[in-house]
Amino acid sequence: ALNGKAVGFEKIIKMIDDMVAFLKKEQLDDDSKKEYCDTQFDQSEDKKKELDHSISDSEAAISEMEGSIEQLKEEIAALDAGIRALDKSVAEATEQRKADNADYKDLMSSNKMAKEVLGWAKNRLNKFYNPALYKPPPKRELSSEDRIVENMGGVVPTEAPGGIAGTGIGAA
């Protein structure tokens, strides 16, 4: 163009047109990427909101469970105290029953001895007042040595009666 030749701007215009077409294509790509990014941002924000809500729900559930745990601890402590009191009362009742049982056994033993004494006294009275009902005491069985002594003319000593008033009835 400087040397007087006519130079056309067609090449430059074509380059500018190519560049404009290229920039339009890049703008369309950028627009689609921006739209994709906006969609992803929206989805991420939705996820974040869901997770925040889930966290707050979990924290509420945790605090509720902690309150429940404290209440259960108190109930367990109360039940434990009740069980200990029950164990103590059972032990006391057992001791009382043992004492009552010992008293009962003493009473039964005393009653048995009293019945034996009454039977002995009744038999003695029958000997005097009603000889037909009198039951003499059983004959003493002599051992073989005592029989030999008696047969030889010796005297076999009798055992001294023991028990209550010489009746032979004694406490077991």
Side-chain angles (χ1 to χ4, degrees):
L2 296 175
N3 293 334
K5 292 186 181 175
V7 176
F9 285 105
E10 290 84 26
K11 271 187 173 180
I12 293 173
I13 291 175
K14 181 170 181 344
M15 285 176 67
I16 290 174
D17 286 342
D18 288 344
M19 187 181 271
V20 168
F22 180 72
L23 288 175
K24 281 184 181 178
K25 182 181 171 199
E26 276 190 354
Q27 185 64 42
L28 288 175
D29 287 346
D30 286 346
D31 287 344
S32 70
K33 285 182 183 177
K34 183 178 185 291
E35 186 179 318
Y36 172 77
C37 287
D38 287 341
T39 305
Q40 290 300 317
F41 278 136
D42 285 344
Q43 288 177 354
S44 294
E45 284 178 16
D46 290 345
K47 267 189 182 177
K48 183 181 182 247
K49 286 179 185 176
E50 286 178 21
L51 290 175
D52 286 342
H53 184 66
S54 174
I55 288 172
S56 68
D57 287 349
S58 296
E59 288 172 347
I62 288 172
S63 66
E64 183 180 319
M65 291 295 170
E66 286 173 348
S68 174
I69 288 172
E70 289 303 317
Q71 181 182 3
L72 290 175
K73 282 182 182 179
E74 291 171 4
E75 288 177 10
I76 288 172
L79 288 173
D80 188 51
I83 289 172
R84 290 184 192 278
L86 185 62
D87 285 347
K88 183 180 178 185
S89 107
V90 166
E92 290 171 358
T94 300
E95 290 300 317
Q96 180 64 37
R97 281 193 297 275
K98 285 181 181 179
D100 290 348
N101 187 26
D103 291 345
Y104 173 77
K105 286 181 179 178
D106 287 344
L107 177 67
M108 288 293 111
S109 174
S110 297
N111 284 349
K112 182 180 175 196
M113 284 191 298
K115 284 180 185 178
E116 289 177 10
V117 167
L118 287 174
W120 177 82
K122 182 179 172 185
N123 195 33
R124 291 287 273 207
L125 288 172
N126 281 337
K127 181 177 181 182
F128 182 74
Y129 290 108
N130 197 355
L133 294 177
Y134 174 69
K135 297 177 191 164
K139 294 279 184 189
R140 182 174 156 209
E141 291 247 351
L142 296 177
S143 67
S144 61
E145 293 94 21
D146 289 343
R147 271 187 262 140
I148 292 172
V149 169
E150 194 174 75
N151 288 337
M152 299 284 275
V155 178
V156 178
T158 59
E159 294 180 22
I164 299 172
T167 60
I169 300 170

